[in-house]
């Protein structure tokens, strides 16, 4: 009789030992981390303003501030020649605030540097719609539009853009030089 008791105790010990080893192995196994999906390269645009909200409340919105921050970072990367990074930032900035004229302008500048004149001009058209009344930005936009047309071989349209620059800023040296 005693042998059966020892067998059972040995079996219980084996089961306990097996469970402990199993738990140890399972617990020490490398945990496979679940990677999060990559961030959207072009988040959905901000919801449109209702008629009761004024423009000033929009200018201080978190989305607007984040968009401006991304634009500034992208501008720095553009100046450093990191076109891909800069374009990603401008794309995200526009996704956060579709009325961020600076993001459109600098995105157009990056496209111009890549010799994608058609896309650059499309972005500049949107920037132009957004900066009505801001002479400084209008001059920048018209100059870049003129350079795009000139690089694409449309000298006539380039001349018209340089002339638009001179109607706003008659002493603009770049426009004067390019028209000669």
């Amino acid at each position: 009789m005693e042998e059966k008791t020892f067998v059972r105790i040995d079996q219980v010990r084996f089961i306990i030992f097996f469970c402990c080893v199993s738990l140890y192995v399972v617990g020490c196994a490398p945990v496979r981390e679940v990677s999060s999906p990559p961030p959207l390269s072009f988040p959905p645009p901000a919801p449109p303003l209702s008629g009761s909200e004024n423009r000033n409340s929009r200018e201080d919105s978190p989305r607007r501030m984040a968009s401006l921050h991304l634009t500034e970072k992208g501008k720095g990367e553009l100046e450093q020649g990191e076109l891909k990074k800069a374009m990603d930032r401008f794309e995200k900035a526009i996704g956060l605030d579709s009325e961020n004229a600076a993001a459109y302008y600098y995105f157009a500048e990056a496209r111009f540097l890549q010799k994608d004149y058609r896309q650059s001009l499309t972005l500049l058209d949107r920037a132009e719609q957004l900066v009505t009344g801001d002479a400084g930005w209008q001059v920048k936009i018209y100059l870049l539009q003129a350079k795009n047309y000139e690089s694409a071989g449309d000298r006539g349209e380039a001349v018209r853009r340089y002339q638009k620059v001179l109607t706003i800023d008659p002493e603009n040296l770049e426009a004067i030089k390019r028209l000669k």
Side-chain angles (χ1 to χ4, degrees), residues 54-149:
N54 65 22
R55 183 146 176 90
N56 289 338
S57 66
R58 175 139 168 69
E59 289 175 1
D60 294 336
S61 76
R63 290 178 74 92
R64 174 78 172 166
M65 300 306 289
S67 177
L68 294 173
H69 178 72
L70 285 168
T71 302
E72 278 302 310
K73 287 199 114 10
K75 181 180 170 190
E77 291 164 345
L78 184 62
E79 290 168 355
Q80 298 295 318
E82 298 178 29
L83 293 179
K84 175 72 173 120
K85 280 184 180 179
M87 289 192 310
D88 287 345
R89 293 219 196 257
F90 299 138
E91 216 173 19
K92 289 176 184 175
I94 291 167
L96 287 171
D97 181 6
S98 62
E99 294 182 17
N100 182 346
Y104 283 100
Y105 173 82
Y106 291 115
F107 197 4
E109 193 173 305
R111 289 293 194 183
F112 173 76
L113 292 172
Q114 287 188 316
K115 299 180 181 182
D116 187 354
Y117 308 123
R118 181 175 294 162
Q119 183 65 35
S120 180
L121 287 167
T122 300
L123 292 163
L124 288 169
D125 287 343
R126 179 66 178 138
E128 183 180 3
Q129 294 169 358
L130 295 170
V131 298
T132 55
D134 188 331
W137 273 107
Q138 286 176 328
V139 166
K140 289 176 75 145
I141 290 168
Y142 294 147
L143 280 173
L144 189 51
Q145 284 175 333
K147 290 177 190 177
N148 270 283
Y149 284 117

Side-chain angles (χ1 to χ4, degrees), residues 147-162:
K147 290 177 190 177
N148 270 283
Y149 284 117
E150 198 168 22
S151 296
D154 189 346
R155 177 74 180 150
E157 194 59 40
V159 166
R160 283 188 280 284
R161 298 299 173 173
Y162 287 128

